[in-house]
Amino acid sequence: MTDESGVGPTGDVETVRETYDRIADHFSKTRAYPWPEVESFLDGREGRVGLDIGCGNGRHAELLAGCCERVLGVDVSRAMLTAARRRNPNSRATAVALAQGDASRLPVRGARVDLAVYVATLPHLPTRERRVASLDELARVLTDEGRALVSAWSTTHDKFDAADGFDTTVAWTLPGGETVDRFYHIYDPDEFRADVAASDLSLVDFELSSGNCYAVVERA
């Protein structure tokens, strides 16, 4: 790992894209099931349009397809989108549209999304300005009644020994032993709530679970 000294890969869009293009196949194989927190958030909810930001192999987009008429999965990595297209090709997930895109410039018109999940992706953005801007983008695309779940890795995880948020890299180990560093900003809980408050979103609910911050949000 590295820290705020800046050693190691940055979280710029090109670096994140290249990183996940390299590890996409292996990463997808290890991410077969949706997170329980996402299942809990979507339980009992429904809408016309669903959005999965940083959709990876599409496991959460599949859940959205069960409660929304239309779903869009967005990911910066083309290889991850390929993995999503291969996942369960005969299931209802085939109704999920996929698009390559950046979390800070979503390919969605304003006030269209009823339900969104934005999990494990916000921490890849390299600066607070970019992270808050991406939360503003989420607010832009939500309808007035829309709700979204946003998550970020937290300093409360037993992997970390820190009270304040910090930048780091976390290695992904490929079969054969090659390691690929992934940039993360690790949030402390107060910092995470402050970034939501600084954006065009309002906090509806907040919890810490499995070392992650989770926020249910709406348009401010």
Side-chain angles (χ1 to χ4, degrees):
M1 292 186 186
T2 62
D3 58 19
E4 294 170 305
S5 64
V7 179
T10 66
D12 64 90
V13 173
E14 188 61 33
T15 299
V16 173
R17 179 186 298 116
E18 291 173 355
T19 295
Y20 278 90
D21 280 348
R22 287 178 68 187
I23 71 173
D25 285 344
H26 186 235
F27 184 89
S28 180
K29 291 174 183 175
T30 67
R31 296 296 187 271
Y33 303 106
W35 288 5
E37 293 84 358
V38 177
E39 292 178 313
S40 178
F41 167 69
L42 293 177
D43 186 33
R45 298 181 188 269
E46 59 183 22
R48 292 186 59 222
V49 178
L51 174 66
D52 185 357
I53 305 170
C55 67
N57 67 358
R59 57 186 168 147
H60 294 136
E62 289 179 19
L63 287 181
L64 281 164
C67 52
C68 294
E69 297 173 18
R70 294 179 294 161
V71 176
L72 175 65
V74 176
D75 202 284
V76 73
S77 165
R78 188 176 297 277
M80 288 304 311
L81 293 173
T82 297
R85 290 187 182 97
R86 288 199 303 260
R87 182 182 169 99
N88 300 323
N90 296 319
S91 77
R92 67 188 177 193
T94 55
V96 176
L98 299 169
Q100 187 174 22
D102 175 356
S104 60
R105 292 190 300 274
L106 294 172
V108 181
R109 285 191 283 179
R112 292 293 190 274
V113 175
D114 301 300
L115 285 173
V117 291
Y118 185 15
V119 299
T121 299
L122 179 68
H124 288 310
L125 301 180
T127 65
R128 181 175 190 253
E129 181 181 21
R130 288 280 303 282
R131 292 188 289 270
V132 173
S134 78
L135 295 174
D136 288 341
E137 268 291 274
L138 174 57
R140 179 185 67 81
V141 302
L142 285 176
T143 63
D144 288 339
E145 302 300 321
R147 294 290 186 276
L149 180 69
V150 183
S151 84
W153 222 353
S154 165
T155 54
T156 62
H157 196 287
D158 57 15
K159 190 181 190 74
F160 308 114
D161 183 19
D164 298 325
F166 63 99
D167 293 342
T168 189
T169 57
V170 178
W172 183 270
T173 303
L174 292 166
E178 179 189 1
T179 60
V180 181
D181 283 337
R182 298 170 297 155
F183 172 87
Y184 279 91
H185 178 75
I186 309 301
Y187 271 99
D188 73 71
D190 288 342
E191 177 194 19
F192 181 80
R193 284 190 289 259
D195 276 10
V196 172
S199 75
D200 294 332
L201 295 167
S202 289
L203 189 65
V204 176
D205 194 15
F206 175 84
E207 70 169 331
L208 292 169
S209 177
S210 304
N212 290 276
C213 297
Y214 289 92
V216 177
V217 297
E218 64 183 2
R219 292 177 69 175

